[in-house]
Amino acid sequence: MAGGELTSEEHEVVLTGERVVTSKETVPVERVSLGTETVTEQQQVTADVSHEEIELVDPDTDGRPSQ
């Protein structure tokens, strides 16, 4: 018998299996250049202009809004 004789002793066998391993990697595909262009324009606005203000009250102080 190939591989030796079988006896009444306990034998341990490591079982192996196959599994699919997939991965993703980032690779460069093209190079682009970015730039800025300053455009100055004057235009008359007739609509009302508004703004927002945020008031912060610090609980570690006397409760007055911080400046």
Side-chain angles (χ1 to χ4, degrees), residues 31-59:
R31 182 180 301 261
V32 296
S33 297
L34 301 176
T36 59
E37 178 182 335
T38 303
V39 177
T40 304
E41 179 181 324
Q42 290 186 356
Q43 188 175 18
Q44 185 169 352
V45 178
T46 58
D48 292 337
V49 178
S50 64
H51 69 280
E52 295 181 12
E53 292 184 16
I54 298 175
E55 184 176 290
L56 172 66
V57 177
D58 189 350

Side-chain angles (χ1 to χ4, degrees), residues 3-64:
E5 278 188 42
L6 291 178
T7 62
S8 61
E9 297 175 16
E10 187 175 311
H11 297 278
E12 187 173 299
V13 177
V14 177
L15 302 177
T16 61
E18 294 179 347
R19 64 179 177 179
V20 177
V21 177
T22 61
S23 63
K24 207 164 60 164
E25 65 179 323
T26 302
V27 296
V29 293
E30 70 179 293
R31 182 180 301 261
V32 296
S33 297
L34 301 176
T36 59
E37 178 182 335
T38 303
V39 177
T40 304
E41 179 181 324
Q42 290 186 356
Q43 188 175 18
Q44 185 169 352
V45 178
T46 58
D48 292 337
V49 178
S50 64
H51 69 280
E52 295 181 12
E53 292 184 16
I54 298 175
E55 184 176 290
L56 172 66
V57 177
D58 189 350
D60 296 332
T61 62
D62 59 3
R64 293 184 308 164

